[in-house]
Amino acid sequence: MTRLTFTGLKTRPGQVWGGIRLVPLVRPEPIESLRLHPAARDSIVYEKMRGCWYAPHGLIAEWTGDGTAVPAYGSALQMAANTVRRSRKPPTKLGRRTRVRFVPHRVALESYLPLTFMSPEIAWPAWRPEAFRRGLPNAETPRRTGEDMTGLREALRVFEIYPGQCGVLVYTADALAGVLVTPHPDDYRALHATLIEDHYSELIYRYALTHRAVGEFEARIDESSVTTVEELRARVATAEAEWAAFHDATMAAGLIGAASRFHEQYRMGEYALHGFRPTDLMRPEGHVGEAITHEDGTLAYLRSYRLSETQLRRARLLDALAEHQWHLEATAASLRLEPGALAARIHQAGFGELLQQHIVDHYRAVQAY
């Protein structure tokens, strides 16, 4: 896979509430052999010697190996663990069904920089020994939940769920904030409210604060040219198709039109769970997340997170360092910077603790001067 597509899904006209636009995705035929259930939404997870942490809206993916339908959640007798000890659990066999638990967004965000851009492999004198032993530090950037997004809770409350709807694209000031796709309409109804618990970048939060209203796309039909109900239905179908083509090619182009790097995280019979990240870091829009796809290319599950400007700049910096094997002078020359200026960028990006102290002191002296 090199690009995300909405294979197996159809885009329907969006609905607007203030600065929030919600665009539904429907399936002509729901996926029966893979189901997603909310789990551990209120679970407190304890780990020995490491305190405790809260696992927000974890999901359980359940599938069948022979392609038969998965029973609706709660309608079959099954054993389930009460706690989650890690973001991935070994699959549990349930007769012909298998299930695995995972936490969306958390894995995609925590692994984006540390696992994508590995720490130095050559012991250049500019880097501290900790850079080789412990790898990249976790340079956190501000993240907001849906509770902080102006208008999102109310938009989710008044949003009309379409028949057969299996997904939604969330826009703030017509900037794509995130996507949720599920295999079955019942799964979407169960997970619709969890969009308020998702993480959103600081960029999307600022858009929500500053843009309080967006325009609606209204289809216009020349009534003088319509004489029968069949003609009206044909015109409506044409208008819906034109909207879907415009949306997929323009509004969602930063996600489904952009090249991405996929790495398979788990195989579920005919399905595979992939993590993805942007390939072209120079684009102004980048998304990370997780997707489950069928062998025939059908998109069964998707949850995405739009990176902020800070996260993209940090990724571009690490990409340049990795390209030159973390040689400070060579990387600075490729970026047309002085080594001190590059050290300043590394420090500002949250990786200053990897540099030797004399490099940091030189940067501070230049800054003071």
Side-chain angles (χ1 to χ4, degrees):
M1 294 178 61
T2 58
R3 299 176 188 270
L4 281 171
T5 64
F6 287 159
T7 304
L9 295 160
K10 292 185 177 181
T11 307
R12 289 291 181 258
Q15 302 177 50
V16 173
W17 182 267
I20 304 295
R21 186 188 306 277
L22 302 177
V23 178
L25 299 170
V26 302
R27 293 188 191 277
E29 294 292 336
I31 297 176
E32 300 285 356
S33 57
L34 173 71
R35 298 294 300 273
L36 292 174
H37 315 307
R41 293 187 58 192
D42 301 311
S43 296
I44 298 295
V45 184
Y46 295 89
E47 290 191 8
K48 187 177 180 180
M49 304 299 292
R50 296 185 63 183
C52 66
W53 49 273
Y54 170 65
H57 62 278
L59 299 178
I60 290 179
E62 190 172 344
W63 69 95
T64 57
D66 55 4
T68 56
V70 176
Y73 184 62
S75 64
L77 294 176
Q78 55 190 23
M79 299 296 293
N82 292 325
T83 59
V84 183
R85 297 189 179 276
R86 55 182 66 88
S87 60
R88 294 286 191 279
K89 287 190 66 178
T92 304
K93 295 291 185 180
L94 300 169
R96 292 184 301 172
R97 310 194 314 279
T98 311
R99 66 192 311 192
V100 66
R101 189 193 307 257
F102 63 99
V103 180
H105 273 190
R106 178 179 172 222
V107 174
L109 290 173
E110 290 184 358
S111 65
Y112 171 58
L113 292 181
L115 296 186
T116 302
F117 310 99
M118 303 305 290
S119 57
E121 296 181 355
I122 301 176
W124 302 112
W127 305 100
R128 290 184 178 180
E130 289 80 0
F132 313 101
R133 293 198 300 262
R134 294 184 300 188
L136 294 177
N138 185 16
E140 283 289 331
T141 55
R143 294 200 299 264
R144 304 282 184 165
T145 66
E147 292 284 2
D148 301 319
M149 305 289 289
T150 304
L152 181 57
R153 174 175 288 278
E154 192 67 11
L156 294 174
R157 186 183 68 83
V158 302
F159 181 71
E160 179 183 355
I161 297 180
Y162 274 64
Q165 181 174 344
C166 293
V168 68
L169 298 96
V170 180
Y171 290 88
T172 301
D174 280 340
L176 182 57
V179 183
L180 169 64
V181 174
T182 63
H184 196 279
D186 293 344
D187 298 342
Y188 177 79
R189 289 180 178 273
L191 297 176
H192 174 76
T194 65
L195 289 166
I196 200 68
E197 301 174 6
D198 273 353
H199 288 111
Y200 300 92
S201 67
E202 191 73 12
L203 174 70
I204 298 301
Y205 170 70
R206 294 200 304 267
Y207 283 167
L209 282 179
T210 56
H211 297 79
R212 297 305 181 97
V214 294
E216 297 195 37
F217 295 100
E218 298 180 354
R220 298 185 180 276
I221 300 175
D222 184 7
E223 59 184 19
S224 63
S225 63
V226 177
T227 57
T228 64
V229 175
E230 288 73 15
E231 290 181 357
L232 179 60
R233 288 173 178 168
R235 295 295 179 87
V236 171
T238 300
E240 288 184 345
E242 290 175 350
W243 152 255
F246 163 76
H247 170 269
D248 296 351
T250 304
M251 297 186 66
L255 175 64
I256 65 173
S260 300
R261 292 176 182 169
F262 293 82
H263 55 279
E264 185 175 311
Q265 298 176 340
Y266 200 83
R267 172 65 61 172
M268 308 182 220
E270 298 177 338
Y271 301 92
L273 173 65
H274 298 270
F276 64 90
R277 58 185 175 87
T279 300
D280 185 3
L281 297 174
M282 299 307 295
R283 292 173 62 96
E285 182 177 350
H287 298 262
V288 297
E290 294 180 312
I292 298 177
T293 57
H294 190 267
E295 291 176 346
D296 62 6
T298 300
L299 181 64
Y301 166 78
L302 173 65
R303 208 150 197 162
S304 72
Y305 172 90
R306 178 165 178 168
L307 298 169
S308 66
E309 299 166 344
T310 301
Q311 290 168 318
L312 285 172
R313 285 197 300 268
R314 185 174 294 153
R316 287 193 288 267
L317 175 62
L318 293 177
D319 189 46
L321 286 167
E323 183 180 354
H324 295 85
Q325 299 183 327
W326 289 75
H327 190 276
L328 199 65
E329 288 75 14
T331 305
S334 69
L335 298 175
R336 299 180 180 180
L337 297 172
E338 293 294 328
L342 178 58
R345 288 193 181 185
I346 294 172
H347 189 274
Q348 293 168 357
F351 303 120
E353 62 186 75
L354 299 179
L355 291 168
Q356 291 283 6
Q357 187 60 43
H358 71 275
I359 301 291
V360 178
D361 292 341
H362 176 71
Y363 151 66
R364 289 175 177 171
V366 171
Q367 189 180 44
Y369 176 79

